[in-house]
Amino acid sequence: MNRKTLVLPAVVGLLAPVLAACGGSDGGSGGGDAIVVGTTDRFTATKEAPAPLDPAWAYDVGLWNILRQTQQTLMIQPRGDGEPVPEAAEQCGFTDTGNERYSCTLRDGLKFANGDAITAADVKYSIERAIAIQADTGVSSLLSTIDTVETQGDREVIFHLNTADATFPYKLSTPVAGIVDSDDYAKDKLREGFELSGSGPYTFKAETEGDELTKAVFTKNPNYKGTLTVNNDKVEMVSYADAETMGADIENGDIDVMTRAMTPDQIDELSKASGGAVDLVEVSGLEIRYLAFNTEAATVKNKAVRQAMAQLINRSELVSKVYGSQAEPLYSMVPATITGHSNSFFNEYGDPSVDKARALLQQANITTPVKLTLNYTTDHYGAAAKTEFEELQKQLNDSGLFDVDIKGTIWDKYREGQKKHEYDVFGMGWFPDFPDADSFIAPFLDKNNTLYSPYANSKIINTLIPESRREADRLSAADSLTEIQDIVAEDVPLLPLWQGKQYVATRDDITGTAYLLNSASSLQLWELGRGVSD
């Protein structure tokens, strides 16, 4: 029957280590037809982005959802919440008291999907390759605390860090740390197109039309050796141009699972329905949306303009009108469920106030109304993006202090335009690299940030981020993390808007959907199987 299933992350986190320990590629239901998963993520190989599936380049939740099925990493994020556990490694850990020397021992008998043996030298090659290529996506910044990589024999890899980094185990669970075969991946060149190989639970085959990946076919890897139980023989991921067509196909039984991004209306309808063959699964998620500023642009260079926007925007009204119960207002770049979160923007600005915003602009001698264009992408963060920006436009313009236009652009052009500083103000979304406050701070505020932002606060970069990374107990990092969030609320290089939940819809004969997504929005396709309809 049609029902709504709520996955409780606290329970998932408690169960994860026990379940992960039961791994191996055997077991599970397996067999039967391929399980077909729909997504509105679009995958293209263009002149600007010729190697979308190279682990040394990819830095996008959709691309990572492909790589995580095929590229094995030393560590892996478990079902739901929880700290990373060994995957290609048999064991890993810091071997010093300062969190600067991290050692991993590989599982015995690891092989790539083609049957070639994996040694510590392959791990060293893969990590050093990603660092050396320095792709313009900024993904190599996740490995920036690595000084040197050492091997001892065929199974031990030692990472010598240039600074303490308690988050390093998480970083080794991300696709940029995926183990690649030097026969397939050149040392100093990206692997172009949609070719992909590794040692993960699946092998990969791409079906394409022109420069676009239309279907990703994942077939169970017989040579896989790790912690995961693979519950199916084949999964096909189909890319849709819109959520409405995807929704029609799951109702008709043409696909089995529907993932990001469903529309708010689709989610609302599925949550209320009481019959049929499609189930809605809700997972507490860490997706955030925010506005970013080119702080050198003439229109927003004066931080009083940015502060006035922070003072005016009514997050509760925005969420209520556009996303309903599917999102919550966010007052920091760090979500409310993450250790180290602080409501810094609410502490700084309180409730929305036209009078306070006007005073900020007057004190800075800013002429009103301030003319701005808010930019957003039309095809990457769901169908509600336009409605969201229309509401932001209305709120700012109704104050009389701003004269705002909005402009939508397809993702490929949007991302390139953002890199080239073509937008003064632009909307972005973020799915964390891993569930830790560092993943909501460093990518935007550290050196070589992923937004190509000119904003650089020396105290954040040189003192506060390094301080926070020294603390293995993340509660002990709270002071440094709170100060970072307070600085962001004062300077407003970024303006957090909301934190969203995660949803998947499935035909009711599909099992394992409660664990299909982890807290970082990573797909775990190996969890899916076919069972008996309820």
Side-chain angles (χ1 to χ4, degrees):
M1 69 181 179
N2 204 334
R3 63 192 183 278
K4 182 178 180 181
T5 304
L6 175 63
V7 179
L8 301 176
V11 175
V12 172
L14 289 172
L15 291 176
V18 176
L19 294 167
C22 299
S25 60
D26 296 330
S29 58
D33 298 332
I35 295 173
V36 185
V37 177
T39 179
T40 57
D41 285 325
R42 311 294 283 173
F43 312 102
T44 57
T46 64
K47 181 180 179 181
E48 293 78 14
L53 296 183
D54 193 311
W57 187 91
Y59 201 15
D60 170 271
V61 65
L63 297 172
W64 275 18
N65 278 336
I66 291 178
L67 292 177
R68 288 187 189 277
Q69 320 309 315
T70 57
Q71 305 299 117
Q72 196 174 21
T73 49
L74 291 171
M75 303 290 284
I76 194 168
Q77 294 175 42
R79 286 173 160 185
D81 288 340
E83 296 181 358
V85 296
E87 166 59 356
E90 182 177 272
Q91 61 182 17
C92 286
F94 285 104
T95 58
D96 65 338
T97 57
N99 293 335
E100 294 183 2
R101 187 182 188 273
Y102 195 79
S103 177
C104 291
T105 302
L106 295 181
R107 294 180 183 277
D108 190 25
L110 282 178
K111 295 179 181 179
F112 289 111
N114 64 9
D116 291 348
I118 296 175
T119 69
D122 294 302
V123 177
K124 175 180 168 70
Y125 176 89
S126 303
I127 297 293
E128 291 181 341
R129 174 181 181 268
I131 294 172
I133 286 176
Q134 288 283 309
D136 64 2
T137 56
V139 69
S140 62
S141 64
L142 286 168
L143 306 176
S144 63
T145 56
I146 295 175
D147 185 18
T148 59
V149 184
E150 175 190 354
T151 63
Q152 291 187 2
D154 287 340
R155 293 179 58 199
E156 188 172 5
V157 186
I158 302 168
F159 298 93
H160 299 277
L161 307 184
N162 51 39
T163 185
D165 187 0
T167 68
F168 190 66
Y170 283 106
K171 294 171 181 177
L172 289 183
S173 73
T174 62
V176 70
I179 305 168
V180 301
D181 190 335
S182 59
D183 290 339
D184 296 331
Y185 293 83
K187 185 175 183 179
D188 56 358
K189 183 181 179 182
L190 291 170
R191 187 177 184 180
E192 297 186 358
F194 295 111
E195 295 296 320
L196 181 59
S197 57
S199 59
Y202 295 99
T203 61
F204 170 83
K205 181 180 178 181
E207 293 186 15
T208 61
E209 291 181 6
D211 62 358
E212 187 167 343
L213 174 68
T214 55
K215 182 188 290 185
V217 180
F218 301 101
T219 303
K220 187 175 180 179
N221 174 13
N223 287 322
Y224 167 71
K225 187 173 185 179
T227 61
L228 304 174
T229 298
V230 183
N231 292 312
N232 55 70
D233 291 330
K234 181 179 286 188
V235 177
E236 297 177 353
M237 182 186 294
V238 180
S239 179
Y240 283 85
D242 59 81
E244 288 75 18
T245 304
M246 180 170 65
D249 277 2
I250 197 171
E251 289 289 347
N252 295 333
D254 294 326
I255 63 175
D256 300 297
V257 180
M258 182 164 63
T259 61
R260 64 179 304 268
M262 289 179 274
T263 68
D265 286 345
Q266 285 176 319
I267 295 168
D268 189 53
E269 289 174 8
L270 285 169
S271 68
K272 294 176 180 177
S274 59
V278 180
D279 308 330
L280 183 70
V281 180
E282 175 188 312
V283 182
S284 180
L286 298 177
E287 175 187 7
I288 67 169
R289 297 286 175 85
Y290 61 97
L291 294 178
F293 297 89
N294 174 5
T295 53
E296 292 299 317
T299 56
V300 294
K301 187 172 185 177
N302 192 316
K303 73 177 180 181
V305 175
R306 309 192 301 267
Q307 290 173 330
M309 293 175 67
Q311 183 66 72
L312 286 171
I313 290 174
N314 188 325
R315 294 168 177 81
S316 296
E317 192 170 283
L318 174 69
V319 167
S320 175
K321 288 185 176 180
V322 182
Y323 296 102
S325 62
Q326 299 159 29
E328 297 176 351
L330 182 62
Y331 296 94
S332 165
M333 292 297 289
V334 179
T337 50
I338 290 288
T339 299
H341 163 81
S342 173
N343 283 318
S344 297
F345 273 79
F346 189 83
N347 297 339
E348 180 72 21
Y349 301 100
D351 292 325
S353 169
V354 174
D355 290 340
K356 290 180 180 179
R358 181 181 294 109
L360 286 166
L361 295 171
Q362 288 176 344
Q363 290 167 11
N365 296 317
I366 303 294
T367 301
T368 58
V370 179
K371 294 184 68 67
L372 286 176
T373 297
L374 303 186
N375 293 272
Y376 67 96
T377 178
T378 56
D379 61 341
H380 194 66
Y381 295 125
K386 181 180 179 181
T387 306
E388 177 180 346
F389 273 74
E390 288 173 342
E391 175 60 23
L392 289 171
Q393 177 189 36
K394 182 178 186 301
Q395 289 187 15
L396 293 170
N397 287 349
D398 283 355
S399 72
L401 302 175
F402 286 87
D403 180 6
V404 169
D405 290 324
I406 60 174
K407 181 181 179 182
T409 306
I410 62 172
W411 175 249
D412 289 343
K413 293 183 178 179
Y414 185 78
R415 183 61 170 148
E416 287 303 309
Q418 179 255 308
K419 290 179 184 177
K420 296 174 183 177
H421 292 171
E422 293 177 2
Y423 311 134
D424 295 359
V425 190
F426 53 97
M428 294 291 285
W430 184 249
F431 296 86
D433 304 324
F434 47 87
D436 184 273
D438 187 85
S439 188
F440 294 92
I441 288 174
F444 315 117
L445 300 171
D446 207 351
K447 292 175 288 187
N448 303 317
N449 66 80
T450 188
L451 294 174
Y452 292 81
S453 171
Y455 177 80
N457 183 287
S458 60
K459 186 173 185 180
I460 290 176
I461 293 170
N462 299 323
T463 302
L464 296 175
I465 289 177
E467 279 183 0
S468 72
R469 288 174 173 169
R470 292 190 190 106
E471 302 295 342
D473 178 358
R474 304 309 283 158
L475 282 172
S476 299
D479 288 347
S480 300
L481 294 170
T482 297
E483 188 170 354
I484 292 170
Q485 292 167 82
D486 289 346
I487 291 172
V488 171
E490 166 64 23
D491 291 351
V492 201
L494 308 161
L495 204 169
L497 297 173
W498 56 265
Q499 171 182 349
K501 300 174 183 178
Q502 300 180 107
Y503 298 89
V504 295
T506 74
R507 303 286 298 182
D508 60 9
D509 64 333
I510 299 298
T511 62
T513 54
Y515 297 107
L516 177 59
L517 286 172
N518 68 14
S519 62
S521 297
S522 299
L523 281 177
Q524 302 175 137
L525 296 179
W526 52 85
E527 297 285 356
L528 298 177
R530 288 196 185 276
V532 179
S533 179
D534 294 340

